[in-house]
């Protein structure tokens, strides 16, 4: 039975973490699949650390908790989670998916993403697409966020040769055997990890398909962390990848 490893980086999100984990565990995966959550506390405050420890105590057979003693960034937390996954995985059919600790995404979208892997060879991965027709009702800031994401995606596609719509989408499902291949190429500690993952997949010849997913964007007031500096860093990662593929 293959396992879906759900890698969740968390930084200072005690209010949403519990609901997020419970929503993930409530997903009805295809019958052939099991699930394991890998939660990385990225140097969070005491409330988030306590919430994460309570969750792993409540669901010890479904979760692994890893800690960074200081905040190192989403990319660093993902790399810690990925390293655990490739060590823990014992089945060539296992897969990994990224899940943010907030409530912007619906974990029920795991199911169509898994079906994409089930229907293709192991050199496939799948990205979610938040911007499919009618998916999100956006205000002015949300519209700007979407346009910025589309610009970064277009530039990433030009650099990598991929043809995706939403390179920055959190939901990326990757077979563990593919994850092993791309891990040495991942070095970004913050949000630059997203275009770096896309570039690494392209460099190894992995075909990337897309699945429409649900999206309920939160504001910076509600805790959104990515900002203009991260956008500039993403541009640098994309520019760098152009000369490595």
């Amino acid at each position: 039975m293959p396992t879906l490893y759900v890698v969740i980086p968390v930084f200072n999100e005690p209010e949403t973490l519990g609901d997020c984990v419970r929503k993930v565990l409530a997903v009805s995966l295809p019958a052939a699949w099991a699930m394991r959550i890998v939660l990385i506390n990225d140097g969070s405050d005491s409330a988030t650390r306590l919430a994460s420890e309570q969750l792993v105590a409540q669901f010890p057979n479904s979760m692994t908790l890893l800690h960074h003693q200081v905040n190192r960034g989403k990319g660093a937390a993902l790399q810690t989670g990925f390293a655990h996954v490739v060590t823990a995985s014992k089945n060539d059919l296992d897969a990994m998916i990224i899940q943010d600790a907030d409530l912007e995404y619906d974990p029920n979208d795991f199911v169509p993403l898994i079906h994409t892997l089930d229907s293709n060879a192991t050199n496939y991965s799948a990205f979610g697409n938040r911007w499919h027709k009618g998916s999100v009702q956006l205000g002015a800031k949300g519209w700007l966020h979407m346009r910025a994401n589309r610009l970064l995606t277009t530039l990433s596609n030009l650099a990598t040769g991929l043809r995706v719509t939403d390179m920055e989408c959190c939901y990326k499902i990757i077979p563990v055997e593919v994850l092993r291949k791309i891990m040495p190429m991942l070095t970004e500690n913050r949000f630059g990890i997203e275009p770096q993952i896309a570039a690494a997949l392209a460099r190894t010849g992995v075909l990337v398909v897309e699945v429409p997913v649900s999206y309920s964007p939160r504001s910076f007031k509600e805790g959104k962390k990515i900002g203009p500096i991260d956008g500039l860093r993403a541009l640098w990662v994309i520019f760098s990848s152009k000369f490595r593929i």
Side-chain angles (χ1 to χ4, degrees):
M1 174 181 288
T3 297
L4 178 67
Y5 289 91
V6 185
V7 175
I8 307 179
V10 58
F11 176 61
N12 293 353
E13 293 173 302
E15 296 86 3
T16 58
L17 179 58
D19 285 344
C20 173
V21 166
R22 292 182 182 90
K23 285 178 181 290
V24 168
L25 292 175
V27 174
S28 296
L29 296 183
W33 285 80
M35 182 191 292
R36 182 82 186 177
I37 291 175
V38 181
L39 182 65
I40 305 94
N41 168 32
D42 186 29
S44 295
D45 54 28
S46 58
T48 304
R49 185 182 183 104
L50 177 60
S52 64
E53 291 172 345
Q54 289 175 336
L55 285 165
V56 79
Q58 185 177 358
F59 305 108
N61 297 322
S62 302
M63 293 183 63
T64 298
L65 176 60
L66 307 173
H67 289 287
H68 288 172
Q69 295 306 310
V70 297
N71 177 244
R72 293 166 53 193
K74 180 180 180 179
L78 287 178
Q79 291 175 66
T80 295
F82 295 168
H84 174 83
V85 169
V86 299
T87 300
S89 174
K90 306 302 179 186
N91 187 327
D92 290 344
L93 298 178
D94 290 347
M96 180 283 308
I97 193 166
I98 301 167
Q99 169 71 51
D100 283 347
D102 54 31
L103 301 176
E104 289 190 331
Y105 293 85
D106 182 358
N108 287 304
D109 287 324
F110 290 178
V111 177
L113 286 159
I114 286 175
H115 285 321
T116 299
L117 291 190
D118 283 341
S119 61
N120 290 293
T122 55
N123 66 328
Y124 274 73
S125 64
F127 289 6
N129 174 17
R130 296 167 291 177
W131 312 127
H132 55 96
K133 185 176 180 180
S135 60
V136 185
Q137 298 299 317
L138 297 169
K141 289 184 179 179
W143 185 86
L144 289 172
H145 172 62
M146 179 186 71
R147 298 309 303 176
N149 272 270
R150 284 187 167 174
L151 173 61
L152 290 174
T153 297
T154 298
L155 295 174
S156 175
N157 286 341
L158 289 172
T160 63
L162 297 179
R163 290 295 177 264
V164 298
T165 309
D166 190 10
M167 174 273 296
E168 292 277 353
C169 183
C170 165
Y171 278 173
K172 294 176 172 68
I173 188 167
I174 303 173
V176 171
E177 289 305 300
V178 172
L179 187 64
R180 293 183 201 278
K181 295 176 183 178
I182 70 170
M183 275 189 61
M185 307 176 201
L186 303 181
T187 59
E188 286 293 306
N189 284 340
R190 285 183 55 81
F191 294 97
I193 195 72
E194 304 287 3
Q196 196 170 58
I197 289 173
L201 290 170
R203 199 172 299 130
T204 53
V206 175
L207 299 177
V208 179
V209 297
E210 284 190 312
V211 174
V213 299
S214 302
Y215 183 55
S216 178
R218 63 177 179 168
S219 66
F220 288 102
K221 185 177 180 180
E222 294 170 314
K224 196 170 189 69
K225 298 178 177 66
I226 192 169
I229 292 176
D230 297 302
L232 292 174
R233 182 64 188 180
L235 285 172
W236 170 251
V237 173
I238 291 166
F239 177 79
S240 300
S241 71
K242 175 66 176 175
F243 298 98
R244 293 178 184 172
I245 292 176

